[in-house]
Amino acid sequence: MDRVIDEIILVALCLLLLPFAAFSGAHVAALLCAIVVACCFDVYPHARLRFAAAGAYELAALFVPEFSALLPVVAYVLFGERFWLVRLSWIMPLAAALRTQDVLLVPAAVLCAAACLMAWRTKRAGEERERYRALRDEQQEASLSLANKNRELMAAQDYEVRLATLSERSRIAREIHDNVGHLLTRSVLQVEALQVVHADDECVRGGLASVGATLHEAMDTVRKSVHDLHDDAFDLCARLEGVIGACGLDDVRLVYDVQDVPLPVAYGVVAVVREALSNVAKHSDATRVDVSVIEYPALYQLIVQDNGSRDGARSTAVDVPTAQAGIGLQTMEERVSSLGGRLRTGYRKGFRVFATVPKEPSKEKS
């Protein structure tokens, strides 16, 4: 856009010089030819056409002095070329026009020099703009990369905090179960033994019965608290990663997109994935396994897909008892059926285990 504005200014300045000379039709032809040359340089990228148009105009200026009045436009477009000989080729027709002693030669020469300065300024401005855009893009890319790394660090930090919290809850549950639970169990046994010893003393037996009831209530409360802590400490994603790490397969990829899974469903998913990966390791020639656990508005979906072949599965499954393999699939189907879901298995670009478990009605409404 800057080039077009500069060219319009140069054409206007050249036209302002024409009233000071004898106007002729050659000036109109020079104007039209100069516009054609400028359009060739601005629109058409082929170098031969550009040089041919500029050379033709300069050749015409050698024989028709009126063409020298529009030489500043040609000097402007030629200044962007690579070689200095091409850039300054407008000097030859301008020098040849000296024999005519035209009054427009001096202003035309000044305008040619000004056109070169304008072309240099426009070129530098374009380079600075390109450099600014590159710098802006690099800065924006660095900013996006930094923001992405910050999100990853925050996600990793949240994950570590959650793992630490779950680990601490699990430790507390174990401590309560191993220490407080055993002490309460021993106290219950001691009270029951004292009830047998003092069976004849109604007063003592009644007091011991009251103490025993309190201990039983405390035992139930502790058991419930331990179960709650253990349930809260269950992380399905971490359990699946642990199962994948222990399955013995090299390339197992997990896609996990679940927000909240009920414990029975979580235990069932872990059991099905463990059995499916075990079958792949024992009976398949697969080199890759994809495990995906995805939550939908009405159901949970589990897919275990390997890239093994039917022939490879048969050849590796020869030494495995058929009943044992059938029991594994039957166990997975029973697990899913107990949750109200459905399990389908078969070959689809490898062996595929596909299970869906519906959500409870209360969760669907919410």
Side-chain angles (χ1 to χ4, degrees):
M1 188 63 183
D2 292 340
R3 286 176 58 90
V4 176
I5 295 175
D6 290 345
E7 291 165 0
I8 292 175
I9 293 174
L10 287 173
V11 170
L13 293 175
C14 292
L15 292 178
L16 291 177
L17 297 178
L18 296 181
F20 298 97
F23 185 77
S24 65
H27 290 104
V28 178
L31 174 62
L32 296 178
C33 292
I35 293 175
V36 170
V37 172
C39 291
C40 290
F41 275 80
D42 293 339
V43 177
Y44 198 76
H46 202 280
R48 291 183 178 179
L49 180 62
R50 298 201 311 266
F51 293 154
Y57 188 93
E58 292 177 348
L59 184 63
L62 288 175
F63 299 99
V64 183
E66 287 81 4
F67 273 67
S68 300
L70 274 301
L71 271 177
V73 179
V74 179
Y76 178 86
V77 295
L78 286 176
F79 194 80
E81 298 301 322
R82 180 178 179 182
F83 300 104
W84 281 99
L85 184 62
V86 177
R87 293 182 182 183
L88 301 179
S89 60
W90 52 269
I91 296 177
M92 291 186 295
L94 193 65
L98 290 175
R99 69 179 185 275
T100 63
Q101 297 181 354
D102 193 350
V103 294
L104 297 181
L105 289 180
V106 175
V110 173
L111 285 180
C112 287
C116 294
L117 291 176
M118 292 171 64
W120 176 80
R121 178 194 61 83
T122 302
K123 182 179 179 181
R124 288 293 302 273
E127 293 175 351
E128 291 297 329
R129 278 196 297 269
E130 290 297 328
R131 191 179 298 110
Y132 168 75
R133 291 193 188 99
L135 183 61
R136 183 188 60 187
D137 293 341
E138 291 178 0
Q139 185 177 4
Q140 187 174 5
E141 183 179 358
S143 178
L144 292 176
S145 177
L146 182 61
N148 188 30
K149 289 183 179 179
N150 287 335
R151 285 194 297 269
E152 292 178 355
L153 288 175
M154 292 179 64
Q157 184 179 6
D158 293 341
Y159 182 72
E160 293 294 334
V161 170
R162 176 167 174 76
L163 284 182
T165 302
L166 296 179
S167 178
E168 184 64 16
R169 288 180 178 178
S170 180
R171 186 191 67 80
I172 293 173
R174 288 195 303 269
E175 291 293 333
I176 294 176
H177 178 270
D178 295 340
N179 298 324
V180 180
H182 290 172
L183 291 175
L184 288 176
T185 301
R186 187 173 64 181
S187 299
V188 169
L189 294 176
Q190 290 175 349
V191 170
E192 291 178 352
L194 289 175
Q195 286 180 341
V196 174
V197 172
H198 299 282
D200 298 333
D201 193 340
E202 187 68 24
C203 182
V204 175
R205 190 178 61 185
L208 292 174
S210 177
V211 174
T214 302
L215 290 175
H216 278 291
E217 183 180 356
M219 189 68 182
D220 293 337
T221 303
V222 169
R223 186 180 294 110
K224 183 177 181 302
S225 299
V226 169
H227 280 293
D228 291 341
L229 286 173
H230 184 269
D231 293 343
D232 291 339
F234 189 89
D235 187 352
L236 178 58
C237 184
R239 290 295 181 91
L240 290 176
E241 290 177 352
V243 171
I244 290 173
C247 70
L249 299 171
D250 295 331
D251 190 5
V252 182
R253 305 181 184 184
L254 174 63
V255 176
Y256 186 84
D257 186 11
V258 178
Q259 297 297 326
D260 186 18
V261 184
L263 276 174
V265 177
Y267 285 122
V269 168
V270 172
V272 171
V273 171
R274 182 184 291 111
E275 184 65 29
L277 293 180
S278 177
N279 288 341
V280 173
K282 294 178 182 178
H283 311 307
S284 176
D285 61 349
T287 58
R288 172 179 170 179
V289 183
D290 293 317
V291 180
S292 63
V293 182
I294 302 175
E295 179 181 2
Y296 292 99
L299 54 87
Y300 301 99
Q301 182 186 83
L302 168 65
I303 300 176
V304 182
Q305 173 79 50
D306 64 45
N307 63 348
S309 62
R310 286 177 179 265
D311 297 336
R314 288 172 181 171
S315 63
T316 55
V318 171
D319 298 332
V320 180
T322 306
Q324 183 177 354
I327 290 175
L329 295 176
Q330 184 178 0
T331 301
M332 288 192 290
E333 186 174 3
E334 290 176 353
R335 283 271 191 179
V336 176
S337 299
S338 65
L339 299 172
R342 296 182 59 186
L343 178 74
R344 288 181 294 175
T345 58
Y347 283 92
R348 184 178 178 183
K349 297 181 180 179
F351 194 76
R352 179 187 181 101
V353 176
F354 183 88
T356 57
V357 178
K359 292 184 177 180
E360 296 181 4
S362 60
K363 289 193 174 184
E364 292 181 6
K365 294 178 182 180
S366 61

